[in-house]
Amino acid sequence: MRVLLIGANGYLGRYVADRLLADPAVQLTALGRGDDADVRFDLATGSPGALTRFLDAVHPGVVINCAGATRGGARELTRHNTVAVATICESLRRSGCGARLVQLGCAAEYGPSQPGSSTAEDAVPRPGGPYGVSKLAATELVLGSGLDAVVLRIFSPVGPGTPAGSPLGRLAEAMRRAMQNGDGELKLSGLGVQRDFVDVRDVARAVHAASLSAAQGVVNIGTGRAVRLRDAAAVLARVAGYGGALHELDLPQQGQHGPGHGQGLGHGPGHGPGHGHGHGHQGGGRPPGLAAIGSPRSEATGEQLAGGAVTPPYPYPDGCGAWQQADVRTARDRLGWRPRINLEESLADIWMEAACRI
């Protein structure tokens, strides 16, 4: 089976590539903007005609799109997450290869959900920010394309390679610094949010299964279990061997910054929507010292405040509020897929990478 993988050098794409390369029946070609791609092509600026000619030459049976922007403003997100997918769909329609399309979507397309509920694929999407809107628009393009296609809505991926700016990446980094400095306590804020964390290697297995299946439409990829970030912090402290105390701070009122605000890791109830992989700014609601869960910060370092607290650059909110949990029955029934790796193993792998920086 010839597979064209787009975005093989990204966080998810790297593990999808590893999974596909382990299948002797797969002949893999990687397409992307980087020098390490087999074929260099920028979906945001390249023409559908050029991509169509490449598809006709390679003649893949499956096209997997793991590419997309996780940072930037609405224009950049639209260009890389929506226009790029429009190029893929148009190229596949023009091409004679007849390839199946596996598109990676995200849970930010759903937006906030009711605490205690499981979000199924037929839920009405209400994304809370430009990132979720741009990804939802891409999903609608795929579903309306008439192609043999499936969209996998990935919930909160974790595990080895987790970006340092993600909530669990920031948590591991805060713990590393505390251990390195010999701090006997770690002050954390925003631990009340709950997310459905799914290991990136399980995500890769789901993508592989989707490429071989006949499933169409939208399929959720998660564990079906929301975990409170404070519980994840306790597990991470155990696997790291951190013997200090974890102090959860109340969320400060907007505009209040001062000593002892600690590390902002999550986004608590009552501060509006927030999840995604991008960076931007949504005014009102969240105090500037905190970052929304699921939203990595930009590469900038933020400003140092009195008392040692750090105000990160404005996070790009994920738009998912305080709770998100996937209904994963469709993945089980139509892909034959179930998650295998538990959160403790994922957190141990995140910690191993953080510990290497001590």
Side-chain angles (χ1 to χ4, degrees):
M1 177 176 66
R2 292 181 179 175
V3 176
L4 176 63
L5 176 59
I6 303 170
N9 61 343
Y11 173 43
L12 298 180
R14 290 195 299 271
Y15 288 94
V16 172
D18 289 345
R19 177 74 186 184
L20 294 172
L21 288 170
D23 183 349
V26 170
Q27 300 176 34
L28 183 64
T29 300
L31 181 147
R33 291 180 290 172
D35 293 335
D36 53 349
D38 296 321
V39 177
R40 294 189 64 181
F41 187 83
D42 188 342
L43 289 169
T45 58
S47 71
L51 184 56
T52 299
R53 290 190 291 274
F54 176 73
L55 290 171
D56 288 337
V58 176
H59 213 79
V62 178
V63 174
I64 300 172
N65 181 31
C66 298
T70 60
R71 297 186 294 270
R75 177 177 296 180
E76 184 178 2
L77 291 166
T78 300
R79 190 159 61 95
H80 290 289
N81 294 338
T82 309
V83 174
V85 172
T87 298
I88 294 172
C89 290
E90 180 60 24
S91 300
L92 284 170
R93 279 195 297 263
R94 295 183 187 183
S95 172
C97 69
R100 172 173 171 77
L101 174 61
V102 179
Q103 164 72 13
L104 268 62
C106 68
E109 298 175 42
Y110 287 120
S113 56
Q114 189 69 24
S117 66
S118 293
T119 303
E121 290 85 355
D122 59 358
V124 177
R126 294 186 176 89
Y131 175 72
V133 170
S134 69
K135 294 294 287 185
L136 177 61
T139 291
E140 294 300 328
L141 286 170
V142 171
L143 298 181
S145 66
L147 300 169
D148 174 13
V150 63
V151 177
L152 303 183
R153 277 193 178 140
I154 314 300
F155 275 63
S156 297
V158 295
T162 293
S166 70
L168 294 179
R170 294 199 299 275
L171 177 58
E173 177 62 16
M175 199 164 292
R176 180 195 70 80
R177 289 178 180 174
M179 294 178 71
Q180 186 172 9
N181 297 333
D183 295 337
E185 64 177 11
L186 184 57
K187 296 179 180 180
L188 305 167
S189 59
L191 297 181
V193 292
Q194 298 180 70
R195 287 292 183 270
D196 191 331
F197 296 108
V198 57
D199 193 273
V200 66
R201 293 158 292 192
D202 280 333
V203 172
R205 287 180 42 247
V207 173
H208 188 200
S211 70
L212 298 172
S213 77
Q216 295 189 337
V218 174
V219 179
N220 288 340
I221 303 299
T223 65
R225 175 173 172 263
V227 175
R228 198 178 301 272
L229 193 55
R230 71 167 62 96
D231 296 331
V235 173
L236 186 62
R238 185 173 71 250
V239 300
Y242 178 64
L246 300 179
H247 292 301
E248 183 174 359
L249 305 178
D250 292 332
L251 290 174
Q253 296 298 315
Q254 185 174 2
Q256 291 183 354
H257 299 283
H261 281 168
Q263 302 288 330
L265 297 171
H267 175 296
H271 285 277
H275 164 94
H277 301 294
H279 307 279
H281 169 53
Q282 177 172 305
R286 185 171 57 255
L290 300 177
I293 187 149
S295 58
R297 295 175 294 176
S298 66
E299 277 72 13
T301 59
E303 296 181 9
Q304 191 75 25
L305 301 173
V310 173
T311 299
Y314 288 119
Y316 183 82
D318 68 357
C320 296
W323 169 276
Q324 201 169 53
Q325 177 175 283
D327 182 330
V328 294
R329 290 175 293 180
T330 301
R332 178 194 63 200
D333 297 341
R334 296 171 64 187
L335 302 183
W337 176 89
R338 295 174 186 267
R340 294 178 181 172
I341 300 174
N342 61 40
L343 182 58
E344 183 167 352
E345 182 176 344
S346 302
L347 290 171
D349 289 331
I350 292 173
W351 173 249
M352 285 297 294
E353 294 180 341
C356 290
R357 297 192 290 271
I358 292 180

